[in-house]
Amino acid sequence: VNDHGDHADIIMSSSSSSTSSFMWTVTNKSIILILFTFTGLLGTSSANAMVKYFGALNMSIVTTSRKAFTLFLSFLAFDSNHCTSD
């Protein structure tokens, strides 16, 4: 970690050890942008349908539970030692 506190050197060292290098081309960026757009549309449509058919309270409970579950999984999946400055 450099003096500025960012972790770019850790990311670069872990990615440079792989056998294949990935290059961000215009096509790759376009594909990611299109996928991001359609997943956002799907999520928004799902939330609106949930409000329409089940009500706002149920939608709020489901989305809050989803966020809590995602946070819990992120603590299990990723090493939390990188979050501290020790």
Side-chain angles (χ1 to χ4, degrees):
V1 179
N2 60 20
D3 294 338
H4 300 293
D6 59 32
H7 298 283
D9 54 346
I10 294 172
I11 294 169
M12 293 304 292
S13 66
S14 65
S15 65
S16 63
S17 64
S18 65
T19 57
S20 64
S21 62
F22 182 78
M23 189 71 168
W24 281 105
T25 62
V26 174
T27 304
N28 291 339
K29 290 178 185 179
S30 299
I31 291 170
I32 295 296
L33 182 64
I34 290 169
L35 287 174
F36 185 75
T37 301
F38 281 114
T39 56
L41 178 65
L42 178 66
T44 303
S45 297
S46 299
N48 288 334
M50 200 178 306
V51 169
K52 181 178 179 181
Y53 293 111
F54 302 110
L57 178 63
N58 288 331
M59 196 267 306
S60 176
I61 291 170
V62 167
T63 56
T64 303
S65 301
R66 180 190 56 82
K67 289 177 185 180
F69 187 69
T70 303
L71 182 65
F72 177 71
L73 284 180
S74 71
F75 281 118
L76 291 178
F78 300 109
D79 188 18
S80 62
N81 292 337
H82 296 295
C83 295
T84 61
S85 61
D86 294 336

